[in-house]
């Protein structure tokens, strides 16, 4: 079978995007830096920020002794840290993951409206129907899903582990129901040999990178290596010199020795790459446009909701910023999340070889 697309499930054609922050708001964020830092220290909070949050948010994270990472690392840090108050600057599934793993900690977010198009592509009721049509299959959900979807899954996985988990599970010979990213699904199937029922969801940011335009940019920069997140389309992935999660892309740039990189992921990652390798030239991979406008412009509109004003509000008055997960759902979502963390630790320690 290799890969078969699942049909008859709800995947939005268009997403309602939040308004982009204007320059005035960006200035305001910079002015709020000292106040935000003082509050974080005063409340003894731990700030966990994803690489896709704004440069100002990442700088605040560094100044406050917080942690910047990919979605797997944020999940791990949230559960391992002794801090009773976590500020999750990222999107909602990241806040929910932290809460599922650490129910006794208070988890707040600068904005609870920070969605993810992948999460919005996978309704829990649809998954229940697909599962009953394939009762023998293992359900593997991408971390970019709601707690209700995680609660129905056997495994959760992030992009940094997805191919390894596919290889590991393919040995059992069982089919996999993969939700919700179609591009990551086809990437897993092609590298792992696993048989996948693949959900047709997409990330609006990565889906927009465009292979033909990328070929032109590659011709203009023949020395540049192309680093791609696996949420991008198969055509773009095929042009990559390296494919990996956000942290893996950063590590590749740090260790490769190359002097020019074309990056096909959210552009806020440039902050950390430039900080680690100030001498390298970073080029944004081109995105498709509609009527001359790019939809995402390699910039996640929901990640942009992580403003310093929102962070201050979350610390001053958590109501409307605190993440809650229904206890019944949480208890069901916990084992597959723990399985992911254990799998990652076992792989790292060589206890599992795929
Ligand atoms: P990472 O797991 O690479 O951090 O990716 C999360 C994400 O949302 C990518 O769009
Ligand atoms: Fe979701 Fe895409 Fe934004 Fe990542 S970049 S949070 S996958 S919409």
């Amino acid at each position: 079978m290799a890969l078969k697309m699942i049909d008859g499930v709800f995947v939005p054609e268009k997403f309602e995007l939040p308004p982009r922050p204007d320059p005035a708001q960006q200035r305001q964020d910079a002015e709020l830096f000292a106040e935000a830092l003082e509050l974080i220290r005063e409340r003894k909070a731990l700030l966990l920020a994803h690489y896709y949050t704004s440069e100002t948010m990442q700088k605040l994270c560094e100044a406050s002794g917080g942690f910047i990472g990919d979605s797997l690392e944020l999940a791990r840090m949230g559960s391992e840290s002794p801090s009773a108050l976590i500020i999750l600057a990222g999107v909602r599934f990241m806040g929910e993951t932290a809460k599922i793993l650490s129910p006794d900690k208070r988890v707040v977010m600068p904005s609870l409206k920070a969605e993810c198009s992948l999460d919005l592509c996978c309704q829990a009721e649809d998954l229940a129907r697909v599962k009953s049509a394939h009762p023998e299959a293992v359900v593997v959900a991408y971390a970019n899903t709601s707690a209700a979807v995680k609660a129905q899954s056997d495994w959760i996985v992030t992009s940094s582990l997805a191919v390894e988990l596919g290889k590991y599970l393919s040995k059992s010979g069982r089919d996999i129901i993969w939700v919700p990213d179609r591009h990551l699904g086809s990437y897993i199937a092609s590298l792992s040999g696993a048989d996948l029922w693949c959900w047709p969801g997409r990330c609006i940011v990565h889906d927009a990178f465009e292979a033909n335009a990328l070929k032109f940019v590659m011709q203009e920069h023949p020395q540049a290596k192309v680093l791609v997140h696996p949420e991008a389309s198969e055509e773009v992935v095929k042009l990559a010199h390296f494919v990996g999660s956000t942290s893996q892309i950063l590590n590749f740039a740090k260790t490769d020795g190359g002097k020019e990189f074309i990056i096909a992921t959210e552009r806020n990652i440039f902050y950390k790459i430039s900080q680690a390798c100030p001498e390298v030239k970073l080029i944004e991979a081109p995105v498709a446009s509609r009527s001359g406008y790019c939809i995402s412009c390699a910039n996640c509109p929901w990640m942009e909701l992580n403003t310093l004003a929102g962070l201050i509000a979350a610390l001053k008055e958590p109501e409307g910023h605190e993440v809650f997960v229904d206890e019944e759902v949480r208890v069901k979502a916990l084992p597959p999340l723990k399985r992911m963390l254990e799998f990652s630790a076992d792989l790292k320690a060589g206890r599992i070889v795929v």
Side-chain angles (χ1 to χ4, degrees):
M1 177 177 85
L3 181 118
K4 209 153 182 190
M5 292 309 287
I6 294 168
D7 54 24
V9 292
F10 175 72
V11 167
E13 278 251 317
K14 267 170 88 177
F15 298 87
E16 205 175 303
L17 304 182
R20 294 278 176 191
D22 56 23
Q25 193 212 296
Q26 279 155 352
R27 270 198 306 279
Q28 189 201 19
D29 252 22
E31 284 159 14
L32 292 172
F33 195 92
E35 186 186 345
L37 184 57
E38 201 179 310
L39 261 176
I40 295 171
R41 288 181 175 152
E42 196 183 288
R43 306 283 153 99
K44 298 189 174 33
L46 172 70
L47 175 55
L48 299 177
H50 192 270
Y51 295 117
Y52 295 168
T53 55
S54 70
E55 192 169 316
T56 313
M57 183 61 84
Q58 294 187 54
K59 285 182 173 160
L60 179 66
C61 193
E62 290 167 333
S64 69
F67 179 81
I68 305 168
D70 72 2
S71 50
L72 176 68
E73 293 162 340
L74 296 182
R76 193 184 299 123
M77 284 305 287
S79 68
E80 287 174 1
S81 143
S83 180
L85 176 57
I86 293 172
I87 312 160
L88 203 310
V91 290
R92 197 180 51 208
F93 78 82
M94 297 173 182
E96 286 182 347
T97 298
K99 188 68 185 174
I100 293 166
L101 289 165
S102 308
D104 298 334
K105 294 178 188 168
R106 183 170 236 184
V107 179
V108 296
M109 298 185 70
S111 172
L112 293 182
K113 293 194 180 124
E115 306 274 3
C116 163
S117 67
L118 283 168
D119 184 349
L120 297 172
C121 282
C122 186
Q123 308 297 311
E125 311 76 56
D126 279 347
L127 177 57
R129 243 181 332 99
V130 171
K131 275 176 69 168
S132 57
H134 305 284
E136 72 301 335
V138 190
V139 180
V140 182
Y142 195 24
N144 301 38
T145 47
S146 66
V149 165
K150 289 185 173 76
Q152 293 189 53
S153 307
D154 299 304
W155 286 86
I156 313 294
V157 77
T158 63
S159 56
S160 58
L161 296 170
V163 171
E164 284 75 9
L165 183 64
K167 286 183 182 166
Y168 178 71
L169 294 177
S170 69
K171 290 182 188 159
S172 72
R174 283 171 73 189
D175 289 357
I176 294 173
I177 295 172
W178 164 256
V179 297
D181 187 12
R182 70 175 92 172
H183 297 314
L184 185 51
S186 84
Y187 183 63
I188 298 168
S190 68
L191 291 193
S192 71
D195 287 331
L196 240 73
W197 292 99
C198 184
W199 207 268
R202 69 191 200 284
C203 158
I204 56 156
V205 177
H206 292 87
D207 188 49
F209 290 113
E210 221 272 311
N212 282 329
L214 177 56
K215 284 181 198 160
F216 285 116
V217 178
M218 289 168 76
Q219 278 164 15
E220 282 168 16
H221 301 274
Q223 303 304 324
K225 287 190 177 156
V226 180
L227 316 188
V228 175
H229 195 282
E231 288 170 15
S233 70
E234 195 179 342
E235 295 74 32
V236 170
V237 163
K238 273 190 190 143
L239 297 173
H241 295 89
F242 178 78
V243 181
S245 77
T246 45
S247 280
Q248 290 167 340
I249 287 176
L250 173 62
N251 286 339
F252 184 91
K254 276 187 200 170
T255 53
D256 176 64
K259 293 283 166 260
E260 269 182 74
F261 297 111
I262 302 169
I263 309 280
T265 192
E266 217 273 2
R267 65 165 119 100
N268 277 306
I269 200 174
F270 281 35
Y271 169 62
K272 271 303 197 189
I273 303 181
S274 311
Q275 188 187 55
C277 345
E279 73 292 353
V280 304
K281 180 170 181 179
L282 299 177
I283 303 147
E284 283 185 29
V287 289
S289 66
R290 265 195 214 155
S291 323
Y293 291 98
C294 53
I295 313 272
S296 66
C297 313
N299 188 210
C300 178
W302 293 292
M303 285 281 182
E304 291 290 297
L305 294 177
N306 289 282
T307 62
L308 268 62
L311 180 143
I312 290 171
L315 286 177
K316 284 189 171 163
E317 181 45 74
E319 208 184 311
H321 291 272
E322 184 163 1
V323 179
F324 294 102
V325 177
D326 174 81
E327 185 57 11
E328 205 179 311
V329 170
R330 191 193 73 77
V331 167
K332 288 187 184 150
L334 185 61
L337 264 175
K338 281 194 159 164
R339 225 164 267 147
M340 168 182 83
L341 294 178
E342 278 161 24
F343 180 75
S344 151
D346 286 347
L347 266 184
K348 213 167 163 190
R351 290 187 291 273
I352 290 182
V353 180
V354 292

